[in-house]
């Protein structure tokens, strides 16, 4: 609180109802200067001349490859091709799915965890390392 030095007839000091913003502005200016000095130091750019790549670029597939594991443990590739789980690697190669291609797995919520992991292990052994899991978005209730 600040007090006015103008004295009146009474002995009480009157309060001034003004906020002193000068210290606040000083602090903000110091912070601004610190950030202006520190920002160029935070971005490190190392000049490097990268070599050219001779390998052709791999085309990206617009249509994702879905592998569905149903509740009765049947596997369905894409829109409806049933696959035998024992011959999974051969069936994927027959359908033209390469090991670099991403496979999206959709599994029923009632499938046991062990069965799901067996499918994941088969894909890994076959050389398919780009595997992603598909789930529902914005689901508020979790199935038990």
């Amino acid at each position: 609180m600040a007090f006015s030095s103008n004295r009146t007839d009474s002995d009480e000091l009157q309060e001034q109802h003004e906020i002193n913003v000068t210290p606040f502005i000083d602090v903000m200016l110091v912070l601004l200067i610190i950030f202006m000095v520190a920002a160029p130091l935070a971005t490190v750019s190392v000049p490097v001349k990268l070599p050219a790549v001779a390998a052709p670029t791999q085309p990206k597939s617009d249509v994702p490859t879905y592998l569905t594991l149903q509740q009765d443990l049947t596997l369905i590739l894409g829109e409806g091709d049933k696959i035998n789980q024992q011959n999974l690697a051969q069936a994927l190669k027959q359908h033209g799915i390469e090991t670099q291609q991403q496979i999206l797995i959709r599994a029923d919520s009632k499938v046991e965890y062990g069965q799901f992991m067996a499918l994941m292990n088969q894909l890994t052994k076959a050389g398919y390392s780009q595997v992603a899991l598909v789930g529902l978005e914005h689901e508020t209730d979790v199935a038990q």
Side-chain angles (χ1 to χ4, degrees):
M1 254 185 262
F3 294 97
S4 175
S5 62
N6 297 338
R7 307 249 351 188
T8 58
D9 292 342
S10 66
D11 289 339
E12 294 180 17
L13 296 174
Q14 292 182 354
E15 295 181 12
Q16 280 185 329
H17 298 285
E18 297 175 7
I19 298 174
N20 188 2
V21 294
T22 305
F24 178 70
I25 292 172
D26 290 342
V27 169
M28 294 305 290
L29 287 175
V30 168
L31 288 174
L32 177 67
I33 291 170
I34 290 172
F35 283 120
M36 287 174 57
V37 170
L41 298 176
T43 58
V44 177
S45 61
V46 178
V48 64
K49 185 176 180 182
L50 296 174
V53 178
T57 58
Q58 297 292 329
K60 297 278 184 180
S61 175
D62 292 337
V63 180
T65 303
Y66 286 102
L67 185 62
T68 306
L69 181 61
Q70 293 183 330
Q71 185 176 358
D72 60 352
L73 303 180
T74 57
L75 284 175
I76 297 178
L77 180 65
E79 296 296 320
D81 297 334
K82 288 188 179 181
I83 294 178
N84 188 358
Q85 192 166 356
Q86 286 76 25
N87 302 329
L88 177 64
Q90 295 171 355
L92 291 174
K93 288 179 184 175
Q94 286 177 354
H95 282 84
I97 299 170
E98 298 179 12
T99 57
Q100 302 90 347
Q101 194 170 349
Q102 184 179 28
I103 298 176
L104 303 175
I105 296 180
R106 298 185 293 189
D108 192 278
S109 62
K110 303 290 183 188
V111 173
E112 292 183 18
Y113 183 72
Q115 296 293 334
F116 177 74
M117 286 308 296
L119 173 64
M120 294 287 290
N121 288 336
Q122 279 186 314
L123 288 171
T124 304
K125 286 179 185 175
Y128 294 95
S129 60
Q130 299 209 10
V131 178
L133 306 178
V134 178
L136 293 178
E137 293 181 16
H138 306 292
E139 185 176 340
T140 56
D141 297 329
V142 177
Q144 302 247 348

Coordinates of all heavy atoms in Angstrom, one line a residue, residues 51-118:
P51 N 25.1 -37.7 -47.9 CA 25.4 -38.3 -49.2 C 24.1 -38.7 -49.9 O 23.0 -38.8 -49.2 CB 26.1 -39.6 -48.8 CG 25.7 -39.9 -47.4 CD 25.5 -38.6 -46.8
A52 N 24.1 -38.8 -51.2 CA 22.9 -39.2 -52.0 C 22.6 -40.7 -51.8 O 23.5 -41.5 -51.6 CB 23.2 -38.9 -53.4
V53 N 21.4 -41.0 -51.8 CA 20.9 -42.4 -51.7 C 20.7 -43.0 -53.1 O 20.0 -42.4 -53.9 CB 19.7 -42.5 -50.8 CG1 19.2 -43.9 -50.7 CG2 19.9 -41.9 -49.5
A54 N 21.3 -44.2 -53.3 CA 21.1 -44.8 -54.6 C 19.9 -45.7 -54.7 O 19.4 -46.0 -55.7 CB 22.4 -45.6 -54.9
A55 N 19.4 -46.1 -53.5 CA 18.2 -47.0 -53.5 C 16.9 -46.3 -53.9 O 16.7 -45.2 -53.5 CB 18.1 -47.7 -52.1
P56 N 16.1 -47.0 -54.7 CA 14.8 -46.3 -55.0 C 13.9 -46.2 -53.8 O 14.0 -47.1 -52.9 CB 14.2 -47.2 -56.1 CG 14.8 -48.6 -55.8 CD 16.2 -48.3 -55.2
T57 N 13.1 -45.2 -53.8 CA 12.2 -45.0 -52.7 C 11.1 -46.1 -52.8 O 10.6 -46.4 -53.8 CB 11.5 -43.6 -52.7 OG1 10.9 -43.4 -53.9 CG2 12.6 -42.6 -52.5
Q58 N 10.6 -46.6 -51.6 CA 9.6 -47.6 -51.6 C 8.2 -46.9 -51.6 O 8.0 -46.0 -50.8 CB 9.7 -48.4 -50.3 CG 11.0 -49.2 -50.1 CD 11.1 -50.3 -51.2 OE1 10.1 -50.9 -51.6 NE2 12.3 -50.6 -51.6
P59 N 7.4 -47.3 -52.5 CA 6.0 -46.7 -52.5 C 5.2 -47.1 -51.3 O 5.3 -48.2 -50.9 CB 5.4 -47.2 -53.8 CG 6.1 -48.5 -54.0 CD 7.5 -48.3 -53.5
K60 N 4.5 -46.1 -50.8 CA 3.7 -46.4 -49.6 C 2.3 -46.9 -50.1 O 1.7 -46.4 -51.1 CB 3.4 -45.1 -48.8 CG 4.7 -44.6 -48.2 CD 5.0 -45.3 -46.9 CE 6.2 -44.6 -46.3 NZ 6.6 -45.2 -45.1
S61 N 1.8 -47.9 -49.4 CA 0.5 -48.5 -49.8 C -0.6 -47.6 -49.2 O -0.6 -47.3 -48.0 CB 0.4 -49.9 -49.3 OG -0.9 -50.4 -49.5
D62 N -1.5 -47.2 -50.0 CA -2.6 -46.4 -49.5 C -3.7 -47.2 -48.7 O -4.4 -46.8 -47.9 CB -3.3 -45.6 -50.6 CG -2.4 -44.6 -51.2 OD1 -1.5 -44.1 -50.5 OD2 -2.7 -44.2 -52.4
V63 N -3.8 -48.5 -49.1 CA -4.7 -49.4 -48.5 C -4.0 -50.2 -47.4 O -3.1 -50.9 -47.7 CB -5.3 -50.4 -49.6 CG1 -6.3 -51.3 -48.9 CG2 -5.9 -49.6 -50.7
P64 N -4.4 -50.0 -46.2 CA -3.8 -50.8 -45.1 C -4.1 -52.2 -45.1 O -5.2 -52.6 -45.6 CB -4.3 -50.1 -43.8 CG -5.6 -49.5 -44.2 CD -5.5 -49.1 -45.7
T65 N -3.2 -53.0 -44.6 CA -3.4 -54.5 -44.5 C -3.9 -54.8 -43.1 O -3.2 -54.6 -42.1 CB -2.1 -55.2 -44.8 OG1 -1.6 -54.8 -46.0 CG2 -2.3 -56.7 -44.7
Y66 N -5.2 -55.3 -43.0 CA -5.8 -55.7 -41.8 C -5.8 -57.2 -41.6 O -6.0 -57.9 -42.5 CB -7.3 -55.2 -41.7 CG -7.4 -53.7 -41.5 CD1 -7.8 -52.9 -42.6 CD2 -7.3 -53.1 -40.3 CE1 -7.9 -51.5 -42.5 CE2 -7.4 -51.8 -40.1 CZ -7.7 -51.0 -41.2 OH -7.9 -49.6 -41.1
L67 N -5.4 -57.6 -40.4 CA -5.4 -59.0 -40.0 C -6.4 -59.0 -38.8 O -6.1 -58.4 -37.7 CB -4.0 -59.5 -39.7 CG -3.9 -61.0 -39.3 CD1 -4.3 -61.8 -40.5 CD2 -2.5 -61.3 -39.0
T68 N -7.5 -59.7 -38.9 CA -8.5 -59.8 -37.8 C -8.5 -61.1 -37.1 O -8.5 -62.2 -37.8 CB -9.9 -59.5 -38.4 OG1 -9.9 -58.3 -39.2 CG2 -10.9 -59.4 -37.3
L69 N -8.4 -61.1 -35.8 CA -8.4 -62.3 -35.0 C -9.8 -62.3 -34.3 O -10.1 -61.5 -33.4 CB -7.3 -62.3 -33.9 CG -7.2 -63.5 -33.0 CD1 -7.0 -64.8 -33.8 CD2 -6.1 -63.3 -32.0
Q70 N -10.7 -63.2 -34.7 CA -12.0 -63.2 -34.2 C -12.1 -64.0 -32.9 O -11.1 -64.6 -32.5 CB -13.0 -63.8 -35.2 CG -13.1 -63.0 -36.4 CD -14.1 -63.6 -37.4 OE1 -14.3 -64.8 -37.5 NE2 -14.8 -62.7 -38.2
Q71 N -13.2 -64.0 -32.3 CA -13.4 -64.6 -31.0 C -13.2 -66.1 -31.0 O -12.7 -66.7 -30.1 CB -14.8 -64.3 -30.4 CG -15.1 -64.8 -29.0 CD -16.5 -64.4 -28.5 OE1 -17.2 -63.7 -29.2 NE2 -16.8 -64.8 -27.3
D72 N -13.6 -66.7 -32.1 CA -13.3 -68.2 -32.3 C -11.9 -68.5 -32.8 O -11.7 -69.6 -33.3 CB -14.4 -68.8 -33.1 CG -14.4 -68.2 -34.5 OD1 -13.7 -67.2 -34.8 OD2 -15.2 -68.7 -35.4
L73 N -11.0 -67.5 -32.8 CA -9.6 -67.7 -33.1 C -9.4 -67.9 -34.6 O -8.3 -68.4 -35.0 CB -8.9 -68.7 -32.3 CG -9.0 -68.6 -30.8 CD1 -8.2 -69.7 -30.1 CD2 -8.4 -67.3 -30.4
T74 N -10.4 -67.6 -35.5 CA -10.1 -67.6 -36.9 C -9.5 -66.3 -37.3 O -9.8 -65.2 -36.8 CB -11.5 -67.8 -37.7 OG1 -12.4 -66.8 -37.3 CG2 -12.1 -69.1 -37.4
L75 N -8.6 -66.4 -38.3 CA -7.9 -65.2 -38.8 C -8.5 -64.9 -40.2 O -8.7 -65.7 -41.0 CB -6.4 -65.5 -39.0 CG -5.5 -65.6 -37.8 CD1 -4.1 -66.0 -38.1 CD2 -5.5 -64.2 -37.1
I76 N -8.7 -63.6 -40.3 CA -9.3 -63.1 -41.6 C -8.3 -62.0 -42.1 O -8.0 -61.0 -41.3 CB -10.7 -62.5 -41.4 CG1 -11.6 -63.7 -41.0 CG2 -11.2 -61.9 -42.7 CD1 -13.0 -63.3 -40.8
L77 N -7.9 -62.1 -43.3 CA -7.0 -61.1 -43.9 C -7.8 -60.2 -44.8 O -8.5 -60.7 -45.7 CB -5.9 -61.8 -44.7 CG -4.9 -60.9 -45.4 CD1 -4.1 -60.1 -44.4 CD2 -4.0 -61.7 -46.3
G78 N -7.7 -58.9 -44.6 CA -8.4 -57.9 -45.4 C -9.9 -58.0 -45.2 O -10.4 -57.9 -44.0
E79 N -10.6 -58.1 -46.2 CA -12.1 -58.0 -46.2 C -12.8 -59.4 -45.9 O -13.9 -59.4 -45.6 CB -12.6 -57.5 -47.5 CG -12.2 -56.0 -47.7 CD -12.7 -55.1 -46.7 OE1 -13.9 -55.2 -46.3 OE2 -12.0 -54.2 -46.3
G80 N -12.1 -60.5 -46.1 CA -12.8 -61.7 -45.8 C -12.0 -63.0 -46.2 O -12.6 -64.1 -46.2
D81 N -10.8 -62.9 -46.5 CA -10.0 -64.1 -46.8 C -9.6 -64.8 -45.5 O -8.8 -64.3 -44.7 CB -8.7 -63.8 -47.6 CG -9.1 -63.2 -48.9 OD1 -10.2 -63.5 -49.4 OD2 -8.3 -62.4 -49.5
K82 N -10.1 -66.0 -45.2 CA -9.8 -66.8 -44.0 C -8.4 -67.4 -44.2 O -8.0 -67.9 -45.3 CB -10.8 -67.9 -43.8 CG -12.1 -67.3 -43.2 CD -13.0 -68.5 -42.8 CE -14.3 -67.9 -42.2 NZ -15.2 -68.9 -41.8
I83 N -7.6 -67.3 -43.1 CA -6.2 -67.8 -43.2 C -6.1 -68.8 -42.0 O -6.6 -68.6 -40.9 CB -5.2 -66.7 -43.0 CG1 -5.3 -65.7 -44.1 CG2 -3.8 -67.2 -42.8 CD1 -4.4 -64.5 -44.0
N84 N -5.3 -69.9 -42.3 CA -5.0 -70.9 -41.3 C -3.8 -70.3 -40.5 O -2.8 -69.9 -41.0 CB -4.6 -72.2 -41.9 CG -4.5 -73.3 -40.9 OD1 -4.6 -73.1 -39.7 ND2 -4.2 -74.5 -41.4
Q85 N -4.0 -70.3 -39.2 CA -2.9 -69.7 -38.3 C -1.6 -70.5 -38.4 O -0.6 -69.9 -38.2 CB -3.4 -69.6 -36.9 CG -2.5 -68.7 -36.0 CD -3.2 -68.4 -34.7 OE1 -4.3 -68.7 -34.4 NE2 -2.5 -67.7 -33.9
Q86 N -1.6 -71.8 -38.7 CA -0.4 -72.5 -38.8 C 0.4 -72.1 -40.0 O 1.6 -72.2 -40.0 CB -0.7 -74.0 -38.8 CG -1.1 -74.6 -37.4 CD -2.5 -74.3 -37.1 OE1 -3.4 -74.0 -37.9 NE2 -2.8 -74.3 -35.8
N87 N -0.3 -71.7 -41.1 CA 0.4 -71.3 -42.3 C 0.3 -69.8 -42.5 O 0.1 -69.4 -43.6 CB -0.3 -72.1 -43.5 CG -0.2 -73.6 -43.3 OD1 0.7 -74.1 -42.8 ND2 -1.2 -74.3 -43.9
L88 N 0.4 -69.1 -41.5 CA 0.2 -67.6 -41.5 C 1.3 -67.0 -42.4 O 0.9 -66.2 -43.3 CB 0.3 -67.0 -40.1 CG 0.2 -65.5 -40.0 CD1 -1.2 -65.0 -40.5 CD2 0.4 -65.0 -38.6
A89 N 2.5 -67.3 -42.3 CA 3.6 -66.7 -43.1 C 3.4 -67.0 -44.6 O 3.6 -66.1 -45.4 CB 5.0 -67.1 -42.6
Q90 N 3.1 -68.2 -44.9 CA 2.9 -68.6 -46.3 C 1.7 -67.9 -46.9 O 1.7 -67.4 -48.0 CB 2.7 -70.1 -46.4 CG 4.0 -70.9 -46.1 CD 3.7 -72.4 -46.0 OE1 2.5 -72.8 -46.1 NE2 4.7 -73.2 -45.8
A91 N 0.6 -67.8 -46.1 CA -0.6 -67.1 -46.6 C -0.4 -65.6 -46.9 O -0.8 -65.1 -47.8 CB -1.7 -67.3 -45.6
L92 N 0.4 -65.0 -46.0 CA 0.7 -63.6 -46.2 C 1.5 -63.3 -47.4 O 1.3 -62.4 -48.2 CB 1.4 -63.0 -44.9 CG 0.5 -62.9 -43.7 CD1 1.4 -62.4 -42.5 CD2 -0.6 -61.9 -43.9
K93 N 2.5 -64.2 -47.7 CA 3.3 -64.1 -48.9 C 2.5 -64.4 -50.1 O 2.7 -63.8 -51.2 CB 4.5 -65.0 -48.8 CG 5.5 -64.6 -47.8 CD 6.7 -65.5 -47.7 CE 7.7 -65.1 -46.6 NZ 8.7 -66.0 -46.3
Q94 N 1.6 -65.3 -50.1 CA 0.7 -65.6 -51.2 C -0.2 -64.4 -51.6 O -0.5 -64.2 -52.7 CB -0.2 -66.8 -50.9 CG 0.6 -68.1 -51.0 CD -0.3 -69.3 -50.6 OE1 -1.5 -69.1 -50.3 NE2 0.2 -70.5 -50.7
H95 N -0.6 -63.6 -50.6 CA -1.4 -62.5 -50.8 C -0.5 -61.2 -51.2 O -1.1 -60.1 -51.4 CB -2.2 -62.1 -49.6 CG -3.4 -63.0 -49.5 ND1 -3.4 -64.3 -48.9 CD2 -4.7 -62.9 -49.9 CE1 -4.6 -64.8 -48.9 NE2 -5.4 -64.0 -49.5
G96 N 0.8 -61.4 -51.3 CA 1.6 -60.3 -51.8 C 2.0 -59.3 -50.7 O 2.4 -58.2 -51.0
I97 N 1.9 -59.7 -49.5 CA 2.3 -58.9 -48.3 C 3.7 -59.1 -48.0 O 4.1 -60.2 -47.6 CB 1.3 -59.1 -47.1 CG1 -0.1 -58.8 -47.5 CG2 1.7 -58.2 -46.0 CD1 -1.1 -59.3 -46.5
E98 N 4.5 -58.1 -48.2 CA 6.0 -58.2 -47.9 C 6.2 -57.9 -46.4 O 5.4 -57.3 -45.7 CB 6.7 -57.2 -48.8 CG 6.6 -57.5 -50.3 CD 7.3 -56.5 -51.1 OE1 8.1 -55.7 -50.6 OE2 7.1 -56.4 -52.3
T99 N 7.4 -58.3 -46.0 CA 7.8 -58.1 -44.6 C 8.0 -56.7 -44.2 O 7.9 -56.4 -43.0 CB 9.1 -58.9 -44.2 OG1 10.1 -58.5 -45.1 CG2 8.8 -60.4 -44.4
Q100 N 8.2 -55.8 -45.1 CA 8.4 -54.4 -44.8 C 7.0 -53.7 -44.6 O 6.9 -52.6 -44.1 CB 9.2 -53.6 -45.8 CG 10.5 -54.2 -46.1 CD 10.5 -55.2 -47.2 OE1 9.5 -55.7 -47.6 NE2 11.7 -55.6 -47.6
Q101 N 6.0 -54.3 -45.1 CA 4.6 -53.7 -45.1 C 4.0 -53.7 -43.7 O 4.2 -54.7 -43.0 CB 3.7 -54.4 -46.1 CG 2.4 -53.7 -46.4 CD 1.7 -54.4 -47.6 OE1 2.3 -55.3 -48.2 NE2 0.5 -54.0 -47.8
Q102 N 3.3 -52.7 -43.4 CA 2.7 -52.6 -42.1 C 1.4 -53.4 -42.0 O 0.6 -53.4 -43.0 CB 2.4 -51.1 -41.7 CG 1.8 -51.0 -40.3 CD 1.5 -49.6 -39.9 OE1 1.2 -48.7 -40.8 NE2 1.6 -49.3 -38.7
I103 N 1.2 -54.2 -40.9 CA 0.0 -55.0 -40.7 C -0.7 -54.4 -39.5 O -0.1 -54.2 -38.5 CB 0.4 -56.5 -40.5 CG1 1.1 -57.0 -41.8 CG2 -0.9 -57.3 -40.2 CD1 1.5 -58.4 -41.6
L104 N -2.0 -54.1 -39.7 CA -2.8 -53.7 -38.6 C -3.7 -54.8 -38.1 O -4.4 -55.5 -38.8 CB -3.8 -52.5 -39.1 CG -3.1 -51.3 -39.7 CD1 -4.1 -50.4 -40.3 CD2 -2.2 -50.7 -38.7
I105 N -3.5 -55.1 -36.8 CA -4.2 -56.2 -36.2 C -5.4 -55.7 -35.4 O -5.4 -54.8 -34.6 CB -3.3 -57.0 -35.2 CG1 -2.1 -57.6 -36.0 CG2 -4.0 -58.1 -34.5 CD1 -1.2 -58.4 -35.1
R106 N -6.6 -56.4 -35.8 CA -7.8 -56.1 -35.0 C -8.2 -57.4 -34.3 O -8.3 -58.5 -35.0 CB -8.9 -55.8 -36.0 CG -8.7 -54.5 -36.7 CD -9.9 -54.1 -37.6 NE -10.0 -55.0 -38.7 CZ -10.9 -54.8 -39.7 NH1 -11.6 -53.8 -39.7 NH2 -11.0 -55.7 -40.6
A107 N -8.2 -57.4 -33.0 CA -8.6 -58.6 -32.2 C -9.8 -58.3 -31.4 O -10.0 -57.3 -30.9 CB -7.4 -59.0 -31.3
D108 N -10.7 -59.4 -31.4 CA -11.9 -59.3 -30.6 C -11.5 -59.1 -29.1 O -10.5 -59.7 -28.6 CB -12.7 -60.5 -30.8 CG -14.1 -60.4 -30.2 OD1 -14.3 -60.6 -29.0 OD2 -15.0 -60.1 -31.0
S109 N -12.3 -58.4 -28.4 CA -12.0 -58.2 -26.9 C -12.1 -59.4 -26.1 O -11.6 -59.5 -25.0 CB -12.9 -57.1 -26.4 OG -14.3 -57.5 -26.4
K110 N -12.8 -60.5 -26.6 CA -12.9 -61.7 -25.9 C -11.8 -62.7 -26.1 O -11.7 -63.8 -25.5 CB -14.2 -62.4 -26.3 CG -15.5 -61.6 -26.1 CD -15.8 -61.4 -24.6 CE -17.1 -60.6 -24.5 NZ -17.3 -60.2 -23.1
V111 N -10.8 -62.4 -27.0 CA -9.7 -63.2 -27.3 C -8.8 -63.2 -26.1 O -8.5 -62.2 -25.5 CB -9.0 -62.8 -28.6 CG1 -7.7 -63.6 -28.8 CG2 -9.9 -62.9 -29.8
E112 N -8.3 -64.4 -25.7 CA -7.4 -64.5 -24.6 C -6.1 -63.9 -24.9 O -5.6 -63.9 -26.1 CB -7.2 -66.0 -24.2 CG -8.4 -66.6 -23.6 CD -8.2 -68.0 -23.1 OE1 -7.0 -68.4 -22.9 OE2 -9.2 -68.8 -22.9
Y113 N -5.4 -63.4 -23.9 CA -4.1 -62.7 -24.1 C -3.1 -63.6 -24.7 O -2.3 -63.3 -25.6 CB -3.7 -62.1 -22.8 CG -2.4 -61.3 -22.9 CD1 -2.3 -60.1 -23.5 CD2 -1.2 -61.8 -22.4 CE1 -1.2 -59.4 -23.6 CE2 0.0 -61.1 -22.5 CZ 0.0 -59.9 -23.1 OH 1.2 -59.2 -23.2
G114 N -3.1 -64.9 -24.2 CA -2.1 -65.9 -24.7 C -2.2 -66.1 -26.2 O -1.3 -66.3 -26.9
Q115 N -3.5 -66.2 -26.7 CA -3.7 -66.5 -28.1 C -3.3 -65.3 -28.9 O -2.7 -65.5 -30.0 CB -5.2 -66.8 -28.3 CG -5.7 -68.0 -27.6 CD -5.1 -69.3 -28.2 OE1 -4.7 -69.3 -29.4 NE2 -5.0 -70.3 -27.4
F116 N -3.5 -64.1 -28.4 CA -3.1 -62.9 -29.1 C -1.6 -62.8 -29.2 O -1.1 -62.5 -30.3 CB -3.7 -61.7 -28.4 CG -3.3 -60.4 -29.0 CD1 -3.8 -60.0 -30.2 CD2 -2.3 -59.6 -28.4 CE1 -3.4 -58.8 -30.8 CE2 -1.9 -58.4 -29.0 CZ -2.5 -58.0 -30.2
M117 N -0.9 -63.2 -28.1 CA 0.5 -63.1 -28.1 C 1.1 -64.2 -29.0 O 2.2 -64.0 -29.6 CB 1.1 -63.3 -26.7 CG 0.9 -62.0 -25.9 SD 1.6 -60.5 -26.6 CE 3.3 -60.9 -26.8
A118 N 0.4 -65.3 -29.2 CA 0.9 -66.4 -30.1 C 0.8 -65.8 -31.5 O 1.8 -66.1 -32.3 CB 0.0 -67.6 -29.9

